[in-house]
Amino acid sequence: MKFKATLIGFSAILMWSLLALFTAASGKMPPFQLSAICFLIGSLPGIAVLALKPERFKLLKQPARVWITGIAGLFGYHFLYFTALRNAPAVEAGLIAYLWPLLIVVGSALLPGERLRWYHLAGALAGLGGTILIVARNGIAFEEAYLLGYGAAFLCAFTWSGYSLLTRRFDAVSTDVVTGFCLATSILSFLCHLGLETTIWPQTAFEWLAVAGLGLLPVGAAFYAWDFGVKNGDIQLLGVKSYAAPVFSTLILILFGFAEPSWRIAAACLLVTGGAVLAAKDMIFRKRAAAPQPAE
């Protein structure tokens, strides 16, 4: 069960790898408007399940702390991320925000039944190194003028890691509640859009398809898969493997002509892959030890 749940959680990381491609193809829609539409689309599969199985509505009745954690995680992360990008250069803000996988790995030591091993931390640091190679290809320059953006990015990293770790503590809560989280995030994003942005709609059918793809996968199904994975899978391994997202994302952008290949990408792939294998050491050897021996 744990291995299967970890794979489901990893599927969320694969879907998040499509985020940059779909966003680049979605046109010039402002971020909160895009977030509002995508989270509305992302809630539709959950709404469909509830419509087909009305008995599951009772699973939405959860303590206030569950709803606060979920809405703060999904909406809070995106609000802080957009704030960081508006107030600091994208490279530095992105790097700070992407500390969340490392924070998940370190923070997992506080969870009941979990033990932080040296190879979990080493794997996460290798993944962070790979992410730096990908994101900071033109250098890093932190400046005092962007402190507000840097601060928002730090809060962004703590928000998503905190949400993921707290979700693990709510392991008895059904993933159906993610539908409610998505709807609430859509509404709050729409309110932010009305107050902060000018409405811009996609201009072509291709851009609308990209928006739909965002809502169905990286801003939709990914959150359901992540919820199930962190509740039932190996959360430390998922934290380390999360560093694969920027690498996969860059490879996909190269494949579709939005980026150029380089030695940095190859080195990042090696670091992230090596870090993931190191972090998965226990799971790999456990499966080998459990494999039946051939009869003599």
Side-chain angles (χ1 to χ4, degrees), residues 17-87:
S17 301
L18 298 170
L19 186 64
L21 175 65
F22 284 156
T23 301
S26 65
K28 298 181 179 180
M29 190 182 295
F32 282 114
Q33 181 188 356
L34 184 62
S35 177
I37 294 173
C38 289
F39 274 104
L40 178 61
I41 295 172
S43 70
L44 295 179
I47 292 173
V49 170
L50 293 173
L52 291 172
K53 299 180 178 180
E55 66 274 12
R56 299 189 71 85
F57 269 103
K58 64 183 180 182
L59 299 174
L60 300 182
K61 188 177 181 180
Q62 300 294 337
R65 64 181 183 275
V66 173
W67 287 99
I68 292 171
T69 299
I71 295 170
L74 268 65
F75 173 73
Y77 171 82
H78 288 85
F79 179 84
L80 290 166
Y81 186 69
F82 295 151
T83 301
L85 292 183
R86 286 174 181 270
N87 294 278

Side-chain angles (χ1 to χ4, degrees), residues 55-180:
E55 66 274 12
R56 299 189 71 85
F57 269 103
K58 64 183 180 182
L59 299 174
L60 300 182
K61 188 177 181 180
Q62 300 294 337
R65 64 181 183 275
V66 173
W67 287 99
I68 292 171
T69 299
I71 295 170
L74 268 65
F75 173 73
Y77 171 82
H78 288 85
F79 179 84
L80 290 166
Y81 186 69
F82 295 151
T83 301
L85 292 183
R86 286 174 181 270
N87 294 278
V91 170
E92 287 78 7
L95 275 178
I96 294 171
Y98 228 81
L99 288 171
W100 65 261
L102 180 60
L103 293 175
I104 287 177
V105 173
V106 174
S108 66
L110 302 175
L111 294 173
E114 298 291 345
R115 294 183 64 186
L116 179 62
R117 305 286 190 177
W118 68 266
Y119 44 83
H120 293 134
L121 188 57
L125 290 173
L128 178 61
T131 300
I132 292 173
L133 283 176
I134 287 286
V135 178
R137 54 188 176 276
N138 295 319
I140 308 172
F142 291 100
E143 299 180 22
E144 188 175 344
Y146 302 123
L147 284 179
L148 175 61
Y150 299 154
F154 267 116
L155 290 175
C156 181
F158 278 100
T159 297
W160 189 251
S161 58
Y163 163 74
S164 300
L165 292 167
L166 287 172
T167 295
R168 176 61 170 244
R169 299 185 70 91
F170 301 145
D171 57 331
V173 176
S174 170
T175 297
D176 290 83
V177 298
V178 175
T179 302

